[in-house]
Amino acid sequence: MAPSRIAVVTGASSGIGAATARQLAAAGYRVVLTARRKDRIDALAEEITAAGGQATAYALDVTDRAAVDEFATAFKTIGVLVNNAGGALGLDPVATGDPADWRQMYETNVLGTLNLTQALLPKLVASGDGTVVVVSSTAGHGTYEGGAGYVAAKHGAHVLAETLRLEILGEPVRVIEVAPGLVRTEEFALTRFGGDEERAAKVYEGVPDPLTADDVADTITWAVTRPSHVNIDLLVVRPRSQASNTKLHRRN
């Protein structure tokens, strides 16, 4: 069976998701952009189309299972699912962390990934050559003070990918996990700190050349476009200035 050239990208309204959609479209995929902010993905679909690519925008909240199931009915097959929707809230210690923030991070990063993967897995299998990508984080592979809620969620996303790979062995579907380290995007840190621009800026202060959304999108696109028999199980990507979640080189 010829592989499907449809790629669904969640969280495509900004950052890594938007950059991945652009690069997959340039690689020849018809991208389906999903996010809650319809105006953002409509504009991106127009941009991709104007550049000669194929793109469709679909407003979707990945935590709404009924909406996800309805979305899935639009497809007979798809070739690629990029589970990118997620994000962090707060940097509070366990003793004072807000359970509502923890719940929201788990709902988006883990259950959102579960919802899309369950709904679209039969379509990926039907393609004869499907790929599931889980965009986790280095937070899914090591902890740091103040990050427990986000770290727990990203560990959940990592384990979901790892377990799925074991469970669907023999099906024509690859499971790829890409775990970025420090990435400077327009919204990640700003969202984490409730719109506090000064606090968000300090995350990257003095760090020479943190990763960009395009860097991560390039990594995702490379992994997706390997030959069908090649599965990039886990790819950790950090800037040269970062040795671990807690060790960064900052210029004085």
Side-chain angles (χ1 to χ4, degrees), residues 1-8 29 72 75-83 113-134 164 168 171-176 224:
M1 182 183 295
S4 170
R5 298 297 289 177
I6 298 173
V8 174
Y29 285 91
F75 307 95
K76 290 183 178 179
T77 69
I78 68 165
V80 178
L81 167 61
V82 180
N83 286 299
T113 297
L114 177 67
N115 287 339
L116 264 295
T117 301
Q118 286 185 338
L120 292 176
L121 188 58
K123 322 290 183 173
L124 289 154
V125 171
S127 77
D129 187 15
T131 301
V132 176
V133 178
V134 175
L164 177 65
I168 65 170
E171 297 288 0
V173 179
R174 300 179 296 177
V175 181
I176 294 168
V224 166

Side-chain angles (χ1 to χ4, degrees), residues 63-155:
T63 68
D64 183 339
R65 184 54 188 258
V68 169
D69 287 343
E70 176 64 25
F71 167 71
T73 64
F75 307 95
K76 290 183 178 179
T77 69
I78 68 165
V80 178
L81 167 61
V82 180
N83 286 299
N84 168 73
L89 295 172
L91 197 63
D92 301 312
V94 171
T96 57
D98 186 343
D101 286 346
W102 282 56
R103 186 174 296 107
Q104 185 173 337
M105 286 187 282
Y106 191 85
E107 288 274 353
T108 306
N109 290 282
V110 184
L111 295 184
T113 297
L114 177 67
N115 287 339
L116 264 295
T117 301
Q118 286 185 338
L120 292 176
L121 188 58
K123 322 290 183 173
L124 289 154
V125 171
S127 77
D129 187 15
T131 301
V132 176
V133 178
V134 175
V135 183
S136 63
S137 167
T138 55
H141 299 269
T143 192
Y144 56 92
E145 292 169 285
Y150 181 60
V151 166
K154 285 303 189 183
H155 271 72

Side-chain angles (χ1 to χ4, degrees), residues 22-248:
R22 291 186 185 98
Q23 292 198 29
L24 287 176
Y29 285 91
R30 178 163 74 84
V31 293
V32 180
L33 316 171
T34 74
R36 289 173 299 175
R37 294 177 293 185
K38 191 172 188 303
D39 58 330
R40 292 281 194 97
I41 54 174
D42 282 343
L44 180 57
E46 290 176 10
E47 175 196 323
I48 290 171
T49 302
Q54 294 180 287
T56 304
Y58 191 104
L60 183 67
D61 179 349
V62 298
T63 68
D64 183 339
R65 184 54 188 258
V68 169
D69 287 343
E70 176 64 25
F71 167 71
T73 64
F75 307 95
K76 290 183 178 179
T77 69
I78 68 165
V80 178
L81 167 61
V82 180
N83 286 299
N84 168 73
L89 295 172
L91 197 63
D92 301 312
V94 171
T96 57
D98 186 343
D101 286 346
W102 282 56
R103 186 174 296 107
Q104 185 173 337
M105 286 187 282
Y106 191 85
E107 288 274 353
T108 306
N109 290 282
V110 184
L111 295 184
T113 297
L114 177 67
N115 287 339
L116 264 295
T117 301
Q118 286 185 338
L120 292 176
L121 188 58
K123 322 290 183 173
L124 289 154
V125 171
S127 77
D129 187 15
T131 301
V132 176
V133 178
V134 175
V135 183
S136 63
S137 167
T138 55
H141 299 269
T143 192
Y144 56 92
E145 292 169 285
Y150 181 60
V151 166
K154 285 303 189 183
H155 271 72
H158 161 62
V159 169
L160 187 158
E162 192 172 54
T163 307
L164 177 65
R165 192 180 301 115
L166 295 171
E167 292 172 344
I168 65 170
L169 182 65
E171 297 288 0
V173 179
R174 300 179 296 177
V175 181
I176 294 168
E177 179 186 353
V178 176
L182 186 68
V183 185
R184 184 166 197 162
T185 63
E186 65 269 30
E187 293 189 338
F188 180 84
L190 198 61
T191 299
R192 181 169 213 166
F193 297 121
D196 186 332
E197 294 183 7
E198 183 177 354
R199 194 175 179 195
K202 286 187 180 301
V203 172
Y204 312 101
E205 191 173 65
V207 179
D209 301 319
L211 296 177
T212 67
D214 283 330
D215 293 329
V216 181
D218 182 56
T219 300
I220 294 168
T221 303
W222 174 82
V224 166
T225 55
R226 294 311 84 206
S228 297
H229 69 287
V230 178
N231 195 103
I232 309 300
D233 284 19
L234 169 64
L235 201 162
V236 176
V237 52
R238 290 188 174 100
R240 187 174 62 185
S241 299
Q242 183 181 35
S244 75
N245 289 342
T246 57
K247 191 170 181 64
L248 278 167

